[in-house]
Amino acid sequence: MDSEFWAKIHGASTHLPLALAGCSWLFDAAGLALARRPAGPQLNIAGYWTMLLAGLGTFPAVASGLLMTKGQMLGHDLVRFHHLFVWPAFGLLVGLATWRAMVGTMTRRGVFGCYLAVGFTAAALVAGAGYFGGEMLLGH
Amino acid sequence: MTREKKALGAAILASGLALGGAFVFGKTLQQQARADSHQQPAVAETWLFSPPAPSPEMAVAGQKLFLNSCAHCHGADAHGDEGPDLHGVQVSDRRIVNVIKNGIQGEMPSFAKKHSEAEIAELLAYVRSLN
């Protein structure tokens, strides 16, 4: 299958983990803020599952990107900027999803705060990767 | 060891494996693409014209054409972007001309309608000047 096919698959597969990672962070932050209310634990359950799905969703997104570019991992200009955000975001999202899968829906408040800080970094990196991905398509 | 610390170790391991797997997958695809790009032209890809011997003037003209038509994929410095690096290409003039004229299915469009044979010869001179 050619690059044009994988470009379509890449476009279709990247937005889901991007949205899930952002939603997971919002659910968990809200769950932490509302921990003493009935909705708090429910929000953390939603954050748990959306993070797991975001972690899984990164694999088709990365694989389709590599297939589209014939294995280019850094490149030049906008592609380089895109990749400089993609690789740390990919590593962080896989790590966060693994950590969350083992820890469960909630843990100690301080530790969970650290998780949210790293999650915010990952979401920001994913947003940066998405921005430069969009610039490649629409910026010229 | 607490549950969180065990999970942190697993998370670091999973991240490393994911990034390592992506690296190996990427390298494999690069090798495959490199092998594909060095295949000999098909019989149908005939040598339609003989470009004149490259000159510095042709290379300068070719660079202008390159910046308009090719830099978007090959990078303004021809060091590659979405398309491959063109410095030191180890293929024949015939192969370069055929790729510009016919494109590569699914990878690169044909420029036969956009550029005349003289312009393609200038593009070839520019690509050769990168060596």
Side-chain angles (χ1 to χ4, degrees), chain A residues 91-112:
Chain A
L92 274 181
L93 279 176
V94 171
L96 284 167
T98 305
W99 188 87
R100 197 69 192 279
M102 292 184 70
V103 165
T105 56
M106 194 29 140
T107 184
R108 288 177 292 154
R109 197 175 173 84
V111 174
F112 202 73

Side-chain angles (χ1 to χ4, degrees), chain A residues 14-92:
Chain A
T14 48
H15 295 88
L16 186 66
L18 195 155
L20 285 169
C23 286
S24 175
W25 191 88
L26 288 173
F27 285 142
D28 280 328
L32 192 66
L34 302 172
R36 293 182 183 175
R37 297 192 182 183
Q42 300 298 320
L43 286 164
N44 289 128
I45 291 170
Y48 173 84
W49 286 109
T50 45
M51 176 47 73
L52 261 55
L53 290 173
L56 288 172
T58 56
F59 286 95
V62 166
S64 60
L66 285 170
L67 286 160
M68 176 181 74
T69 60
K70 312 281 183 199
Q72 194 172 66
M73 282 171 283
L74 211 53
H76 292 270
D77 301 328
L78 288 172
V79 184
R80 176 183 285 266
F81 284 121
H82 178 65
H83 286 149
L84 286 175
F85 283 90
V86 161
W87 296 120
F90 177 51
L92 274 181

Side-chain angles (χ1 to χ4, degrees), chain B residues 8-57:
Chain B
L8 180 62
I12 292 169
L13 183 65
S15 290
L17 285 173
L19 288 169
F23 182 79
V24 170
F25 185 49
K27 282 288 175 193
T28 307
L29 289 171
Q30 279 179 10
Q31 285 174 356
Q32 181 67 47
R34 202 170 293 131
D36 289 347
S37 71
H38 284 76
Q39 285 174 354
Q40 292 300 308
V43 177
E45 295 176 347
T46 51
W47 186 234
L48 296 176
F49 73 102
S50 299
S55 66
E57 293 76 23

